[in-house]
Amino acid sequence: MSGSGLILIYIILFIGVFYFLAVRPQRRQRRAHQEMLSMLKKGDEVVTIGGIFGVVKELREDYVVLEIAHRTKVRFLKRSISSIVSEEEEEEEYEEEEPEEIEGETDENEEAEDDSEADDDAAESGEDDSDDDEETSR
């Protein structure tokens, strides 16, 4: 009897751990998503699950109409809206994406530009380096 009682305790323990690690967080996440959808209003910039940015132009019971480009409107299910993009988040993203210039990189870029300009000048003057390469390989 103690063996079957121990198995029963393990099963109950497993169900409890599963509930606290999987079910509860998913419910919280679903509730937060529903709140976000209820706060959605005309003019909000949103991101869909597929990664498409758009501005809410029309709200209906089950779907929203997003303007994804000038005069391009697309209808999406409300549940496919991933998040509302705030202006503060956009500004932070742009600040993070700006690359910092390193002194060594600027010198290399200038040298690469000089080399490409020399190649362009040679191409314009009609010089062909491929003939020289063939003669040296023979």
Side-chain angles (χ1 to χ4, degrees), residues 51-68:
I52 298 173
F53 284 81
V55 177
V56 177
K57 292 297 179 182
E58 186 179 336
L59 286 167
R60 296 291 180 172
E61 184 72 26
D62 294 333
Y63 67 89
V64 295
V65 176
L66 300 180
E67 183 175 31
I68 58 173

Side-chain angles (χ1 to χ4, degrees), residues 8-26:
L8 185 62
I9 291 173
Y10 281 136
I11 291 173
I12 292 172
L13 184 65
F14 177 75
I15 291 171
V17 168
F18 181 76
Y19 175 77
F20 283 105
L21 293 179
V23 175
R24 255 182 100 201
Q26 188 175 12

Side-chain angles (χ1 to χ4, degrees), residues 35-96:
E35 284 180 27
M36 185 264 309
L37 290 178
S38 68
M39 294 185 327
L40 198 60
K41 62 186 179 296
K42 206 173 185 181
D44 284 344
E45 185 173 357
V46 297
V47 179
T48 65
I49 292 172
I52 298 173
F53 284 81
V55 177
V56 177
K57 292 297 179 182
E58 186 179 336
L59 286 167
R60 296 291 180 172
E61 184 72 26
D62 294 333
Y63 67 89
V64 295
V65 176
L66 300 180
E67 183 175 31
I68 58 173
H70 180 65
R71 296 179 56 189
T72 305
K73 295 180 181 176
V74 182
R75 189 169 60 172
F76 286 95
L77 289 174
K78 272 190 175 179
R79 65 177 177 244
S80 69
I81 303 298
S82 174
S83 63
I84 298 173
V85 180
S86 67
E87 293 177 12
E88 296 168 0
E89 289 177 1
E90 286 182 10
E91 291 173 4
E92 290 174 6
E93 287 177 10
Y94 289 129
E95 290 173 3
E96 291 174 2

